[in-house]
Amino acid sequence: MSSIRIVRPRQFMLASAALTSFAALDLPAALAQQAREPLPPVEVSPAQSRKQAKPAGREAQSTRREAARRPAAAAAMPKPVVPAAALPTPLNSNAVAESASRLGLTVRQTPATVEVISAETMREQGYRTVSDVAQGAVGVTAGDNPAEPSAFSMRGFTNSQINTLYNGIKIGPQNMTSRIMDTANLEAVEFLKGPASLISGEGAAGGAINFVTKQPHTGPIRNEADFSWDSLNSFRAHYGSGGSTNVQGLDYRFDISRSALNGFADDTNTKMLDVSGQLNYRISDSLKIWGAIEYREDRSKAYWGAPLVPIAFSGSHATTRIVSGNYFNRTDLGAVTIDDRTFNTNYNVLDNRNVAQEVWLRGGFELKLAPDLTLKSQAYGYGAERTWFNNEIEAFDSTNNQVYRERFYVAHSQRLVGNITDLIWDADIAGFDNRLVTTLSSSYLDFVRPGAANFPNDYVSLVDPNRGFYGSLTTQQQTARINNEALSFEDRLKLTRTFALIGGLRVEHIGLDRNSTDSAGLVRAGFPFTKDWAPVTGRIGYTWEAVPGLTFFSQYATGADVAANTSFLLLPTQPLDLTTSRTYETGVKHLFWDNRAEWSFSAYDIVRKNVYAAAGGMALNIAGRQESKGVELAASVRPIDPLRLWGNIAYVDARYADYNFAGGSFSGNTPPNVPRIVANVGASWRFFTPWPVELGITGRHVGDRYNTDANVVTMKAYTVADVYAFVDIPKTVFNAVDQARLTFRVRNITDKRYAIWGDPFYPDQILLGAPRTYELSAAFKW
């Protein structure tokens, strides 16, 4: 492992923030009423569309240039309110990310690193699942490990150290509740980096990822349909419609998508169905009510990876660029490899299944109590049934040169109800514009988890295994009930036109009740028990627009999470202690060249204390501290109309400290699935012909990673590339269709074989990335 480390002492970061803040303060300007630039007022209207407007034409650009030449006095004249997301930017920094702030701030106005990937970007880049979206984001990796689908790694943290939100609502720990999800019904995916408990509550040590479903809009009805097929015989289909109805003030949105994604391993596939709809009804200028419903279903025959095999056994079939290292778990394998005969082998039993059904019900209102006071509230209910019925362990045994297999079954029956209420107050405090949001939230989670009490096992050959069936099953049951109540405050105070202080505080109560019974229904020793926590978390930061378009920011933020995230894995004798985290972050966001170019940079230092971790895949241990330091850079530019260039790179140095246990120490080791380097790059060229054609290429590099805390097996770095070409068919060809696009895409064009993820609880096997595939797709809007 490289000895290079990013050293960024706390004192330096605090001093930098303090000096920048002092330089930014311009008190005479702050006191000049005409110089103030308040936040846009909160309007009672349908949910703001996240679709980005078309790039401004020459006429709009000329208007902006002319406005820039006007005398300063003209700038003080009243201006019409323009929606925050009216103008697109290359990095989408004008989007409002609700998972990052309740103040209605754009990405550029938020003192944190936030990334919003829009539906348009998902469509252009061919992101089929949320894991595809994550891998296009700055410094984020994903693996779709079937034990924890849609698991992510970000800023040195993985799985339940990152909150997964659905329209801003957390449904439980990611490693228990997340599922693979198609992107067709999504309007945006938001990434908030670093501890984020102020907005999304406990669990957000590494950040939060929010999935936003498509929303109604006011205006003419618009329809869309999408279809795709690939060389693995996968297909996707989606239809969506939305707009204003004949009933005055009533807008709707409806989407339905169906997909069947076949895996590259034998007899593996994922089938998904997503139906979502929402109604917005404006009763008056001061009151809007709304309701939404969503049903999601996924059914998989899962791929659990390829076993680590001794190089001495594989011989000429050993690979050299997928994994390396020496491994001992069940038996001593010595130097290991991935055998090329196992690339497409499925070791799962024939009757395996991985199924989930989820239902969402949401509804609420927005009421303007006074010109400067708005009340928003939503109630929600969520239900899910999940089942895993698989052979999950595939461990090569060097004593008989066969693969040891072991079954596992678990099911979830989950019910969640809750409410989130915001009171938004726009005020003038001693001549300074101020917005305060007070939020009261509460939820009740009931989680029933029947699981296997016996684990049938057998041995099969490495090549052409006799997959067989699951066998007998004996079950036991565990339950958890979690009550959560929180009161939070978030405030933005504009001290000058260009400098704002932004901060908040969250006081939370979490109550856990657990029980566990054996296969005979008898309560286990130490159960039932009750535990309570009361974390206090928050954020304080600033933004300073030094010159128009150039914004500096810094923040200090804290997070908290509890071992309830892994409460079904801990022994009754292990403490359920509160885990805390904090971050120092500073950076810059720059939009320039008449909206044609944008870049952002951030540097951070995160520490998480009292961490639970999987010690080499064998058991959970308290790992003391986890430290993560890194930098992130993203840029996008359109130097000339036909050409677009974009890219991002992230470097992170993540390590454990004080990680000692009976069998040794992992202090200094890197957490699993955390690469030092992650980079994405892309370019496209558009030919403005009668039938416009665009050609594009994207590349992705992911550095070395480890599959367990022991750091004895390395998943080697890899670089993959996709190419695509699409043609936009003019409306004159299909009179009834406003927009039509045909796309041809090649994924992993070099047919690279690589390790994409390793589950630390299944250290004997590695998940491989998909080989080269070809895809045809068609999209229509009318």
Side-chain angles (χ1 to χ4, degrees), residues 232 261-271 299-305 343-354 389-391 394 405 465-469:
L232 293 173
L261 305 180
N262 291 325
F264 61 89
D266 300 331
D267 188 31
T268 56
N269 60 72
T270 300
K271 298 178 180 178
R299 298 178 179 272
S300 302
K301 296 181 75 66
Y303 164 70
W304 289 83
F343 280 168
N344 303 101
T345 304
N346 183 2
Y347 294 92
N348 209 342
V349 291
L350 292 169
D351 54 346
N352 77 89
R353 62 183 182 273
N354 194 341
F389 185 84
N390 298 277
N391 184 92
E394 305 157 6
R405 301 192 310 169
N466 178 10
R467 293 169 57 190
F469 296 91

Side-chain angles (χ1 to χ4, degrees), residues 72-73 436 630 646 730 766:
L436 172 67
W646 68 93
I766 300 294

Side-chain angles (χ1 to χ4, degrees), residues 640-656:
I640 56 178
D641 285 344
L643 178 63
R644 186 162 56 102
L645 304 170
W646 68 93
N648 56 66
I649 186 169
Y651 174 89
V652 61
D653 180 12
R655 296 179 182 274
Y656 289 120

Side-chain angles (χ1 to χ4, degrees), residues 503-527:
L505 187 71
R506 181 186 182 100
V507 181
E508 194 165 4
H509 169 262
I510 306 163
L512 170 69
D513 294 300
R514 270 192 64 196
N515 201 2
S516 178
T517 58
D518 60 20
S519 58
L522 301 177
V523 177
R524 295 180 180 276
F527 292 94

Side-chain angles (χ1 to χ4, degrees), residues 230-509:
D230 73 13
S231 53
L232 293 173
N233 207 29
S234 303
F235 79 88
R236 299 173 67 223
H238 162 250
Y239 169 76
S241 179
S244 298
T245 69
N246 292 330
V247 178
Q248 180 66 32
L250 181 64
D251 305 324
Y252 81 97
R253 178 72 200 193
F254 171 79
D255 290 272
I256 180 170
S257 60
R258 179 73 164 143
S259 59
L261 305 180
N262 291 325
F264 61 89
D266 300 331
D267 188 31
T268 56
N269 60 72
T270 300
K271 298 178 180 178
M272 291 174 279
L273 172 66
D274 193 340
V275 183
S276 59
Q278 181 168 331
L279 292 174
N280 290 349
Y281 185 34
R282 295 185 310 282
I283 297 175
S284 67
D285 291 340
S286 60
L287 176 62
K288 182 191 83 172
I289 61 174
W290 61 274
I293 184 171
E294 184 172 6
Y295 173 79
R296 282 200 304 266
E297 178 182 304
D298 66 87
R299 298 178 179 272
S300 302
K301 296 181 75 66
Y303 164 70
W304 289 83
L308 296 170
V309 179
I311 293 176
F313 176 84
S314 290
S316 62
H317 294 283
T319 58
T320 58
R321 297 182 180 180
I322 301 178
V323 297
S324 65
N326 292 273
Y327 181 68
F328 175 86
N329 188 15
R330 289 184 52 81
T331 58
D332 188 356
L333 303 185
V336 293
T337 187
I338 298 296
D339 193 299
D340 64 17
R341 294 171 292 181
T342 67
F343 280 168
N344 303 101
T345 304
N346 183 2
Y347 294 92
N348 209 342
V349 291
L350 292 169
D351 54 346
N352 77 89
R353 62 183 182 273
N354 194 341
V355 180
Q357 296 172 303
E358 303 169 276
V359 176
W360 274 102
L361 292 173
R362 297 180 293 120
F365 67 87
E366 298 179 18
L367 174 63
K368 186 171 285 294
L369 300 171
D372 58 356
L373 197 62
T374 302
L375 181 67
K376 299 169 58 177
S377 183
Q378 73 162 315
Y380 58 87
Y382 170 79
E385 302 291 331
R386 312 181 189 94
T387 301
W388 287 260
F389 185 84
N390 298 277
N391 184 92
E392 300 191 3
I393 293 178
E394 305 157 6
F396 188 85
D397 191 319
S398 59
T399 62
N400 59 19
N401 291 332
Q402 291 186 303
V403 176
Y404 169 80
R405 301 192 310 169
E406 188 172 291
R407 322 288 194 261
F408 185 72
Y409 161 82
V410 70
H412 298 166
S413 181
Q414 179 181 356
R415 301 293 180 268
L416 173 70
V417 294
N419 177 270
I420 301 173
T421 297
D422 298 325
L423 183 63
I424 305 165
W425 180 38
D426 290 301
D428 185 301
I429 299 178
F432 301 110
D433 286 309
N434 189 79
R435 173 171 290 177
L436 172 67
V437 179
T438 302
T439 302
L440 181 63
S441 63
S442 62
S443 65
Y444 172 75
L445 172 64
D446 190 329
F447 206 105
V448 180
R449 184 180 183 265
N454 69 317
F455 308 96
N457 60 79
D458 59 11
Y459 287 88
V460 297
S461 61
L462 180 71
V463 181
D464 296 326
N466 178 10
R467 293 169 57 190
F469 296 91
Y470 187 100
S472 62
L473 172 63
T474 303
T475 63
Q476 55 191 348
Q477 184 161 291
Q478 300 168 325
T479 62
R481 292 177 175 84
I482 300 176
N483 290 288
N484 187 294
E485 301 87 27
L487 175 64
S488 65
F489 306 90
E490 190 179 9
D491 190 88
R492 183 188 196 234
L493 177 65
K494 293 214 67 175
L495 296 178
T496 74
R497 282 187 309 164
T498 61
F499 186 86
L501 291 176
I502 301 165
L505 187 71
R506 181 186 182 100
V507 181
E508 194 165 4
H509 169 262

